[in-house]
Amino acid sequence: MPSTVTESLIFRDMFGTPAMRAVFADEALVRRYLDVEVALAEAEAATMIIPAEAAAAIAEAARTMRIDFDRLRHETEITGYPILPIVHQLSEAAGTAGGYVHWGATTQDIMDTATVLQVRAALDLVSVDLVELRDILAQLALRHRDTPMAGRTHLQQALPITFGYKVAVWLSMIQRHIERLDQMRPRVLLGQFAGAAGTLASLGADGLKVQAALCALLGLARPSATWHVARDGLAEAVSFLGPVTGSLAKIATDVMLMMATEFGEVAEPFVKGRGASSTMPQKRNPISSELMLAAAKAVRQHVALMLDGMVQDLERATGPWHAEWIAIPESFILTAGALAQAKFMLGGLIVDAERMRDNLALSGGLIVAEAVMMAAAPKLGRQRAHDVVYDACRSAVTEKRHLADILIEVPEIVEALGGADAIRHHCDPANYLGLAPQMVDHMLAQLPGRPGAR
């Protein structure tokens, strides 16, 4: 029975997705090992290192053989690595051509290249999810471009914003992650074939030709130098997932706070029973947001593990390499799960614009004290306007009255603003949104396929 949340029959689709689990499943991993061994044989046949018939026989054996996983597990426990056991089974299946399997390679060549093939498939899935999430956020930002709400700093109401502006901030992070993913692919998707100590000594003068042919067959870039102990590429891939899930956790935190009863400004999509309490029938907990936050915390630990794993000894490492076997699959699965939760939650997010406006009114106009101050400053001077409005704010708090009512009783402000109606205008939060709507427009214009896009 599975014992981790990413494989659990109960939890696995809360913390991952079937598509991403399939990328890192044992069967898929073994298939990647075989793909690399076959590509190696074909590359060596193309460079006349081994007979073409042998390469064809190895490819056919890899296609038709049935892996004995019990034997593979047992031999891997003895050897410490799965490649020699795989080579045993592939060589037996290939018959007389079996002697050419794994020619000139070392275990890490096969494992590293297979890992990169997995990472490529995983990044493709992440890329699709990020683009879909970007589109969801773009629609949400546009829909609520002009929906006023309280902007909060230090958990206190600060100035009015629009909900579309808040979403545009979320959207900007996702768009940058899409750009980062595309930029890092050439650095991460490198083949590995260098032999025992990384010098390709076993193949003599033909080693680099085989390396180039192998990478070409697998659609991977050829490395500038052996990366057996230069783990920055894979570390970058997992480190990339840290900011992705970190951004999702920021979004989740905002949603959880805004779902609090005292705020009530948004709610996760309604599904009967979702987020329910076993004892409190009224509860509707932010389940997707909670799962996104949990995944981000776990991925963050794996980022640290990958960075620590970069400290490798000499030309072939000891334990640091093994740590990648833990961190890479789990990080991608958890990220896929968090992205799936984000798409579900934000795609059906319930926005209560009326409650947002009600919350804007909670301070009795204090949230737009800056608006009054800046409007009065041309007549009174900034500092005098600040002092007068500051005193009025204190009176409004003490007397529990609306700021506009206090200011109307201050002749200096009435004269500076031009009357009571002007004071009430400046004390309406909806009239002090700054450039929030225009910032939404600017963010949306950056997206591909939109007017003004880069």
Side-chain angles (χ1 to χ4, degrees):
M1 293 269 310
S3 58
T4 63
V5 293
T6 55
E7 296 297 329
S8 165
L9 297 178
I10 301 171
F11 298 114
R12 64 187 181 189
D13 287 335
M14 296 169 67
F15 286 94
T17 63
M20 192 63 84
R21 283 197 304 275
V23 169
F24 291 99
D26 284 342
E27 295 82 359
L29 178 59
V30 170
R31 173 47 53 191
R32 296 298 189 190
Y33 292 154
L34 292 174
D35 288 345
V36 178
E37 292 287 3
V38 168
L40 175 60
E42 292 175 344
E44 290 176 332
T47 51
M48 295 181 289
I49 303 294
I50 69 172
E53 315 84 70
I58 291 169
E60 179 63 15
R63 187 183 68 82
T64 59
M65 68 185 290
R66 188 180 186 88
I67 294 292
D68 183 338
F69 277 92
D70 287 335
R71 176 185 171 188
L72 174 57
R73 183 188 67 254
H74 176 68
E75 292 184 9
T76 299
E77 289 171 357
I78 295 171
T79 306
Y81 309 95
I83 300 305
L84 185 57
I86 287 288
V87 169
H88 287 160
Q89 293 192 41
L90 178 58
S91 297
E92 292 167 8
T96 56
Y100 292 104
V101 171
H102 199 67
W103 193 270
T106 192
T107 287
Q108 193 172 346
D109 290 338
I110 307 303
M111 291 186 67
D112 279 351
T113 305
T115 295
V116 170
L117 293 175
Q118 286 182 304
V119 167
R120 181 173 65 186
L123 288 176
D124 288 344
L125 293 176
V126 170
S127 178
V128 169
D129 283 341
L130 286 172
V131 170
E132 291 177 357
L133 181 57
R134 178 188 68 190
D135 293 343
I136 289 169
L137 289 172
Q139 293 170 14
L140 192 60
L142 181 61
R143 190 179 313 131
H144 293 283
R145 174 187 185 273
D146 302 304
T147 302
M149 66 173 294
R152 299 174 174 97
T153 62
H154 302 276
L155 293 179
Q156 308 293 309
Q157 287 198 5
L159 289 174
I161 60 172
T162 70
F163 183 59
Y165 163 83
K166 179 184 287 289
V167 175
V169 173
W170 299 345
L171 173 59
S172 68
M173 296 187 290
I174 300 305
Q175 177 59 23
R176 285 191 291 271
H177 294 321
I178 292 170
E179 294 169 0
R180 288 185 182 102
L181 194 159
D182 290 339
Q183 290 163 1
M184 78 175 184
R185 283 181 187 270
R187 296 189 295 270
V188 173
L189 302 182
L190 304 176
Q192 177 88 285
F193 179 65
T199 63
L200 281 172
S202 61
L203 294 184
D206 295 317
L208 290 178
K209 288 190 293 185
V210 173
Q211 182 190 79
L214 171 65
C215 291
L217 285 168
L218 295 173
L220 300 174
R222 182 180 171 190
S224 55
T226 302
W227 54 277
H228 284 157
V229 287
R231 311 306 286 181
D232 56 293
L234 293 178
E236 181 178 5
V238 175
S239 295
F240 162 75
L241 302 179
V244 169
T245 53
S247 295
L248 298 181
K250 188 277 184 287
I251 295 171
T253 299
D254 280 2
V255 170
M256 287 189 288
L257 288 171
M258 295 169 70
M259 277 186 69
T261 305
E262 291 77 8
F263 287 3
E265 295 174 340
V266 300
E268 290 192 358
F270 176 76
V271 175
K272 187 174 181 179
R274 184 172 178 82
S277 165
S278 62
T279 185
M280 294 173 283
Q282 83 281 8
K283 291 299 292 296
R284 187 170 166 189
N285 297 319
I287 297 302
S288 288
S289 296
E290 292 173 359
L291 291 169
M292 291 158 64
L293 187 61
K297 291 177 180 292
V299 171
R300 189 179 310 136
Q301 303 309 309
H302 285 316
V303 171
L305 182 58
M306 289 295 292
L307 294 176
D308 187 75
M310 291 180 67
V311 186
Q312 304 223 351
D313 41 293
L314 306 177
E315 280 63 57
R316 291 287 292 280
T318 48
W321 182 41
H322 300 63
E324 295 176 358
W325 310 352
I326 303 167
I328 294 173
E330 289 190 6
S331 297
F332 274 102
I333 292 171
L334 288 166
T335 299
L339 284 165
Q341 295 293 340
K343 290 192 297 180
F344 166 77
M345 183 264 285
L346 294 166
L349 190 69
I350 298 169
V351 180
D352 191 336
E354 183 177 351
R355 185 63 178 271
M356 289 177 175
R357 185 174 285 275
D358 290 344
N359 288 341
L360 266 176
L362 285 176
S363 70
L366 293 178
I367 193 170
V368 285
E370 180 189 80
V372 178
M373 181 192 76
M374 294 305 296
K379 288 283 184 69
L380 302 182
R382 186 200 170 281
Q383 190 58 48
R384 178 57 186 164
H386 175 276
D387 293 344
V388 173
V389 175
Y390 179 89
D391 290 341
C393 289
R394 301 287 69 76
S395 297
V397 170
T398 303
E399 300 173 22
K400 294 183 170 51
R401 296 171 62 195
H402 197 282
L403 178 61
D405 295 332
I406 298 290
L407 291 170
I408 288 171
E409 298 172 356
V410 181
E412 200 172 4
I413 291 293
V414 173
E415 181 181 353
L417 295 185
D421 288 344
I423 290 175
R424 296 195 185 282
H425 173 85
H426 288 296
C427 286
D428 182 351
N431 295 325
Y432 197 62
L433 298 174
L435 295 176
Q438 290 81 1
M439 288 182 176
V440 174
D441 297 339
H442 180 69
M443 178 64 242
L444 294 177
Q446 312 303 307
L447 304 183
R450 294 177 181 266
R454 287 173 293 183

